[in-house]
Amino acid sequence: MAIQSPTGFNDMLPDDELFWEEFQAVARQVFGLYGYNQVEVPIAEQTELFVRGIGEATDVVSKEMFATFSGENLKTLLDGGNLKSKSRLSLRPEGTAGVVRAVVQHDLVPQGGAPAKLMYAGPMFRAERVQKGRLRQFHQVGVECLGAEEPTIDAEAIIMLMRFYEKVGIPAEKMNLLINSMGCEKCRPAYREAVRAYMDQHADELCETCNTRKEINPLRAFDCKNDGCKEVMAGAPRISDHLCPDCKAHYDQVREYLELAGISYEEDYKLVRGLDYYTRTVFEVQASDGVGAQSAIGGGGRYDKLAEEVGGRPTPGLGFALGFERCKLVLEACGKEFPKAAKCDLFIACVDASVRSAAFKLMQSCRDAGVTAEMDHQGRSLKSQFKLADKMNAANVAILGPDELANGQVKLRNMATHDEMLVKLEDAVSTLLATE
Ligand code: AMP
């Protein structure tokens, strides 16, 4: 059997690639209005960055990262040797840690400087169980804003995320915006202990995984899909009752700004998100159509401690990422028309082989003038050249035969109107440009 792509790693064929381009262009346009500029950071980083940044106990880091080795380093490992930290690399499971590392490395937020507003787009890798909307290589567009703590930043990021979805074609009524506050290092530890104590009281009603989570990060139990755990966690202490005055004021202001902008949202005390670095505001957008069980089409939050975790000076931060493939599923369910690859303005059909040089020359003049042109490259009969032109959806067909060529002419047929005209060979390109 021919070799297939690995499970969960999909090819992006020309039509997919066209839409991915369009998707990024819309993001650049919308996020650009809010002052975000695009960066590109490496696909692989030192594993240590993700361990320190995302958190060792998270599913993403403990189970889902793809480690990557040079052949030589792999041999060292297989021989029982150890690698230096610098040589232990992983494919990025998300974009935030790498962007924050870059901000720290290049000092993009000098003390007293303006916030760094950055956007990125590209593939991410997680060894997850593959299902509809859940891949091992998937594409995200994301933003990170470093250096600003004010709730205006949280609100504007959420607003621009919702604006992006609408601009790309997802109707507002198909989406649900969930928000929550995770508190800060002052109020969260006590809250986490309160949840752990509550879970201790209900240990025999919780699944094994939640009992393990209880010891490492009890808040993750809010994410459990098990019905019994859901029921227990519905009665757990709520973060909203445990926020310190500063976190409460920050959260109230974020909501106020969202309301000012007319953004509807739902508060969800269960929203804790899977990564350890979040503080204060967290949010997620869920779609109602097309994505099945994987309804989250984007999400993010504030991470005021992350820059320090990766060795930088204290720098507040906030970001989000949205999933390209899941958005595409939602858009398919909404009936969106996607761009189609390979538009062809002119197909040049040769009546016989004697005109091929003239056809080749005409094809090249078309392309040089910005007109997409094609001809047959497989020795097809005239009839099958017409079929090929149809298949390519050619807007016009030029029919070039020895008689026409002897008179320095070519016949142009408009495929939509079926109008035909005989034009001078040297006027063919300008005629096509005039009728476009
Ligand atoms: P996260 O980094 O987990 O917050 O994910 C942000 C967004 O990326 C999600 O809302 C999804 O739309 C998308 N996403 C995350 N994991 C996957 C995956 N395994 N396959 C496809 N899309 C994903």
Side-chain angles (χ1 to χ4, degrees):
M1 198 172 79
I3 295 174
Q4 307 283 303
S5 65
T7 308
F9 290 74
N10 289 351
D11 296 308
M12 298 260 273
L13 297 179
D15 287 353
D16 304 315
E17 200 60 36
L18 267 191
F19 183 52
W20 172 228
E21 273 303 317
E22 179 183 310
F23 195 83
Q24 291 174 78
V26 174
R28 273 191 290 272
Q29 199 231 326
V30 175
F31 303 161
L33 292 171
Y34 295 75
Y36 284 81
N37 289 309
Q38 188 154 1
V39 289
E40 196 168 324
V41 294
I43 279 174
E45 296 273 0
Q46 287 186 37
T47 303
E48 177 74 12
L49 173 71
F50 301 120
V51 172
R52 270 163 57 182
I54 302 173
E56 195 156 17
T58 57
D59 283 353
V60 167
V61 169
S62 63
K63 301 187 205 151
E64 296 169 359
M65 274 205 307
F66 284 102
T68 166
F69 308 101
S70 67
E72 203 180 334
N73 286 341
L74 181 60
K75 190 169 173 304
T76 307
L77 282 179
L78 292 175
D79 290 345
N82 259 326
L83 293 183
K84 289 200 185 105
S85 173
K86 265 190 171 172
S87 306
R88 269 184 246 134
L89 306 183
S90 289
L91 297 182
R92 60 184 186 192
E94 52 98 67
T96 303
V99 172
V100 172
R101 194 254 325 124
V103 167
V104 170
Q105 184 173 333
H106 304 286
D107 198 18
L108 296 187
V109 191
Q111 240 154 359
K117 287 179 155 186
L118 306 170
M119 132 175 195
Y120 60 86
M124 305 293 157
F125 305 85
R126 293 183 197 172
E128 297 205 75
R129 234 173 329 124
V130 175
Q131 61 179 120
K132 185 175 178 189
R134 193 157 75 191
L135 301 164
R136 295 188 148 197
Q137 177 176 343
F138 55 98
H139 294 77
Q140 284 186 340
V141 171
V143 303
E144 313 296 344
C145 173
L146 281 111
E149 202 172 10
E150 289 294 315
T152 37
I153 283 293
D154 309 47
E156 73 166 27
I158 297 174
I159 295 165
M160 81 179 189
L161 174 63
M162 301 312 282
R163 293 281 192 271
F164 167 80
Y165 287 129
E166 284 183 57
K167 186 105 196 187
V168 92
I170 306 179
E173 65 275 13
K174 303 266 183 206
M175 294 182 287
N176 199 11
L177 166 65
L178 306 174
I179 64 168
N180 191 19
S181 174
M182 305 270 297
C184 65
E185 83 276 15
K186 278 188 269 164
C187 51
R188 194 162 52 195
Y191 171 63
R192 194 187 286 137
E193 283 319 306
V195 174
R196 180 176 291 139
Y198 172 84
M199 288 172 74
D200 272 337
Q201 287 163 16
H202 296 270
D204 49 353
E205 298 157 66
L206 294 169
C207 72
E208 209 175 303
T209 319
C210 281
N211 272 305
T212 317
R213 281 176 177 148
K214 177 161 67 76
E215 305 311 323
I216 310 165
N217 186 355
L219 303 190
R220 292 297 316 281
F222 283 112
D223 263 350
C224 188
K225 302 282 175 281
N226 181 307
D227 284 340
C229 296
K230 275 191 200 164
E231 213 170 290
V232 172
M233 294 312 288
R238 306 232 167 149
I239 182 80
S240 46
D241 300 324
H242 289 76
L243 291 179
C244 64
D246 285 350
C247 285
K248 187 172 178 319
H250 193 276
Y251 185 49
D252 287 347
Q253 285 174 57
V254 171
R255 287 181 301 155
E256 219 171 274
Y257 288 125
L258 290 179
E259 281 155 31
L260 270 180
I263 300 282
S264 358
Y265 62 84
E266 208 177 286
E267 289 182 72
D268 183 358
Y269 68 90
K270 301 189 295 303
L271 185 65
V272 292
R273 312 222 357 105
L275 318 176
D276 273 0
Y277 53 57
Y278 289 114
T279 49
R280 294 194 165 167
T281 318
V282 285
F283 51 95
E284 188 163 290
V285 182
Q286 298 186 341
S288 51
D289 277 4
V291 270
Q294 305 304 318
S295 61
I297 53 171
R302 184 163 272 291
Y303 47 78
D304 291 341
K305 295 282 139 199
L306 183 56
E308 280 166 84
E309 289 293 340
V310 305
R313 71 171 82 87
T315 313
L318 176 125
F320 63 70
L322 51 101
F324 167 70
E325 286 81 2
R326 284 195 204 164
C327 286
K328 188 157 184 272
L329 288 172
V330 176
L331 288 163
E332 273 161 14
C334 297
K336 180 185 160 71
E337 293 236 349
F338 293 99
K340 282 256 170 276
K343 106 182 176 5
C344 178
D345 298 321
L346 179 71
F347 185 92
I348 306 162
C350 299
V351 173
D352 63 31
S354 70
V355 299
R356 285 184 66 79
S357 305
F360 188 82
K361 199 166 162 228
L362 173 59
M363 179 170 75
Q364 204 44 50
S365 325
C366 283
R367 292 165 174 173
D368 290 343
V371 173
T372 337
E374 264 307 337
M375 65 185 280
D376 160 56
H377 301 284
Q378 296 158 305
R380 290 168 186 249
S381 70
L382 187 58
K383 196 169 153 203
S384 97
Q385 289 179 56
F386 286 135
K387 277 197 194 148
L388 183 61
D390 257 352
K391 223 170 159 187
M392 287 184 167
N393 229 341
N396 299 279
V397 174
I399 304 147
L400 195 55
D403 296 344
E404 285 95 350
L405 190 57
N407 295 326
Q409 290 179 313
V410 61
K411 197 188 283 171
L412 291 182
R413 181 187 293 167
N414 180 310
M415 300 302 277
T417 60
H418 299 289
D419 288 344
E420 283 190 357
M421 58 180 149
L422 209 53
V423 297
K424 281 198 195 147
L425 250 182
E426 66 263 32
D427 295 339
V429 177
S430 53
T431 310
L432 284 168
L433 285 171
T435 53
E436 240 178 40

